Amino acid sequence: MSGISVTEDGHLLGVIAVCGHRIDGATVYVDGPDADHSPTVGTWTAVRPVTSGVTTWTLDTPSPGWTTDKPLAPLKARTEYALYGWTKDNAWSSADAAFTQADVKRLTPGKVRYDTETDDGREVAVTVPLSRFKDRACKDFQGS
């Protein structure tokens, strides 16, 4: 499961929960009609594969444990982005988290925005404390 957050000093954070698999890296891409013009806006590789738990790293500045393959491009207004984690061999990926520049501006430190499914099957974005994200991430996964 993927999400986004911000640091105390306003840096954008990637947040990925790894449940029963591994993640080697992450990508932010344009989601929607603008995808044809600039699909990938940032890519990172974990120094070591992430095999369990929740990992966070700054998306707009260097971060320990992650290398920046493609620095994050400036986010544009009225453009939807998505963050997801992946493996080098394409064996696994995390559920993506959709967001806009406006969504990022509304985030506060310690809160994570991610996408989840409602009981009736609709996908919705929620913002919760990091502790709740950690608690829910693998419960929501349940062997998917």
Side-chain angles (χ1 to χ4, degrees):
M1 179 180 294
S2 303
I4 60 163
S5 187
V6 292
T7 63
E8 290 287 337
D9 55 356
H11 291 282
L12 184 59
L13 280 175
V15 183
I16 294 182
V18 181
C19 308
H21 294 277
R22 76 173 197 283
I23 292 296
D24 296 322
T27 297
V28 171
Y29 63 93
V30 175
D31 191 19
D34 293 334
D36 292 337
H37 301 319
S38 179
T40 301
V41 295
T43 306
W44 303 265
T45 301
V47 172
R48 291 187 178 87
V50 181
T51 57
S52 66
V54 173
T55 185
T56 64
W57 73 103
T58 52
L59 300 179
D60 55 357
T61 60
S63 190
W66 291 83
T67 59
T68 303
D69 304 320
K70 179 178 181 172
L72 184 68
L75 301 180
K76 298 176 185 175
R78 297 179 304 279
T79 300
E80 186 165 272
Y81 300 93
L83 166 73
Y84 78 103
W86 44 261
T87 59
K88 291 177 182 175
D89 62 3
N90 292 320
W92 188 253
S93 64
S94 67
D96 61 2
F99 64 96
T100 64
Q101 184 185 57
D103 296 329
V104 172
K105 288 179 180 179
R106 285 191 293 268
L107 282 170
T108 57
K111 302 283 186 162
V112 178
R113 177 189 168 88
Y114 71 100
D115 296 332
T116 190
E117 198 171 287
T118 62
D119 291 338
D120 62 359
R122 291 179 300 118
E123 190 170 296
V124 296
V126 296
T127 302
V128 300
L130 178 60
S131 59
R132 180 153 180 199
F133 177 82
K134 289 178 179 180
D135 288 345
R136 295 294 319 166
C138 291
K139 289 176 185 169
D140 287 349
F141 169 72
Q142 294 181 351
S144 298

